[in-house]
Amino acid sequence: MQAHPAARPPLSQDPSARAYPQAADFTSRLTAVADAVEDFLADRLGDGLQPGEIARPPRLMQAMRHAVLGGGKRLRPFLAIETARMLGGAYPGALAAGAAVELVHCYSLVHDDLPAMDDDDLRRGKPTVHKAYDEATAILVGDALQTLAFEILADETWQPDARIRADLVLGLARASGLGGMVGGQLLDLGAEGRFGPANLDVEATLQLQAMKTGAILAHSVEAGTLVGGADAAGRAALLRYGRALGQAFQVADDILDREASSEAMGKRTGKDKDAGKATLVDRLGLDGARAECERLVGECEAALAPWGEAAQTLKDAARFTVARKT
């Protein structure tokens, strides 16, 4: 079980939470942002009571920290933060919006790993929550992480503009709910044949993936546009970028599931093929899937053209998404 994180002052009083992490190259910036998000999440997952709370059960807090801290590339919050940075948005709001997306992502992983879903024993190189604790605790961890995400978005400490807070809550709810991630999860289970015969074509597979994986990734970019105050044209262009990147991420993930080792990935690989899940690798072949990744990266770069060199980090993020090895 993960140890209690070291005590730290509230981030609302911490000057380091008031300025974007600085780094020259993409890899260093990705790491710096991941570290900042880790600190923010560790602070939110401490044992100290927040206003209106009655108690924080120790087992629940320990399991939540196990699920969230000490792993992951933090790509989703990175996209939110870097989009807001490019647009000149305030850092505290970008950090909070990115952290909220990451909490929803982590909740989805906890529930996805459950025996009734994908039944996985390993996540980010350590036992899944239901293995480290138990199934009931894992279900409650997912519930608590999801609600904490929306609590952060609704907190004026990080985003003083009530309209932006409302738009962030609405956007994340839609991306993660029945018409987005949760609906996509159900379609994914159906693609295994759980509810009857299933043989998804390319179009149906793309729809499933756009919901299960792409919606949250696209919202990460959208959150950055809201914090950064993008106009209608800018927001539309960046949403095209986010949707293309989300699709590229899933295709790259399907390729890794076929080619990477479980040790490198920190989770079981080959499971999608064994379960009969719908992937573009099955529909297009490995070479076709790689070509689709390259096409989608080109789509990302075209969407970012209006920002020129200012969008270099987001261009690098698209390339990183398809070139990653884990």
Side-chain angles (χ1 to χ4, degrees):
M1 297 182 184
Q2 182 140 345
H4 185 288
R8 55 172 59 83
L11 279 170
S12 57
Q13 302 172 15
D14 183 355
S16 68
R18 299 291 166 181
Y20 284 97
Q22 299 301 312
D25 63 280
F26 175 80
T27 302
S28 298
R29 183 169 286 190
L30 183 66
T31 300
V33 169
D35 289 344
V37 171
E38 180 87 1
D39 285 347
F40 185 95
L41 293 172
D43 188 74
R44 304 271 69 75
L45 294 172
D47 289 331
L49 289 180
Q50 297 300 304
E53 294 181 346
I54 298 171
R56 288 192 160 199
R59 181 178 180 83
L60 180 61
M61 299 313 302
Q62 291 166 4
M64 290 171 73
R65 291 191 284 265
H66 179 92
V68 173
L69 303 180
K73 295 175 283 295
R74 312 297 190 197
L75 178 62
R76 291 156 188 82
F78 182 81
L79 291 169
I81 289 168
E82 289 302 322
T83 301
R85 185 204 300 255
M86 182 183 75
L87 297 171
Y91 176 56
L95 177 60
V101 175
E102 184 69 7
L103 286 172
V104 166
H105 173 58
C106 290
Y107 123 69
S108 76
L109 298 181
V110 173
H111 280 188
D112 197 44
D113 290 336
L114 287 166
M117 298 282 281
D118 276 2
D119 194 15
D120 275 318
D121 297 343
L122 194 67
R123 172 69 66 179
R124 293 174 173 172
K126 59 186 181 182
T128 50
V129 177
H130 71 274
K131 283 295 181 181
Y133 294 87
D134 59 83
E135 287 184 41
T137 299
I139 292 169
L140 293 174
V141 163
D143 295 344
L145 293 176
Q146 181 189 42
T147 53
L148 179 58
F150 289 99
E151 178 184 335
I152 289 170
L153 288 182
D155 190 343
E156 66 180 356
T157 300
W158 310 108
Q159 176 51 255
D161 190 315
R163 182 179 293 275
I164 294 175
R165 293 200 306 272
D167 286 344
L168 287 168
V169 167
L170 179 61
L172 184 56
R174 285 176 171 166
S176 61
L178 60 92
M181 181 185 72
V182 171
Q185 290 279 19
L186 185 85
L187 293 177
D188 196 41
L189 295 176
E192 298 176 11
R194 291 200 189 193
F195 315 125
N199 184 21
L200 275 63
D201 59 17
V202 170
E203 184 177 349
T205 300
L206 287 172
Q207 182 186 67
L208 181 164
Q209 294 181 343
M211 293 171 67
K212 179 184 175 184
T213 303
I216 290 290
L217 279 159
H219 172 73
S220 301
V221 177
E222 180 185 30
T225 72
L226 292 170
V227 173
D231 60 20
R235 187 173 173 184
L238 286 165
L239 280 175
R240 289 196 297 274
Y241 164 82
R243 292 185 181 115
L245 185 141
Q247 188 177 340
F249 182 96
Q250 184 59 63
V251 178
D253 217 45
D254 292 341
I255 293 170
L256 286 170
D257 186 68
R258 295 295 178 88
E259 296 190 327
S261 67
S262 297
E263 292 74 20
M265 293 290 286
K267 62 181 180 179
R268 178 164 54 102
T269 57
K271 62 180 182 178
D272 290 349
K273 186 174 188 299
D274 294 342
K277 288 184 180 289
T279 73
L280 282 188
V281 172
D282 292 319
R283 306 299 180 260
L284 303 177
L286 280 169
D287 288 343
R290 291 191 187 96
E292 179 65 5
C293 280
E294 289 300 314
R295 186 191 71 79
L296 289 165
V297 168
E299 196 171 316
C300 287
E301 292 174 343
L304 294 171
W307 289 274
E309 288 301 312
Q312 189 57 52
T313 298
L314 292 180
K315 292 177 185 176
D316 291 342
R319 181 61 58 185
F320 168 80
T321 293
V322 301
R324 63 195 166 92
K325 301 301 181 185
T326 61

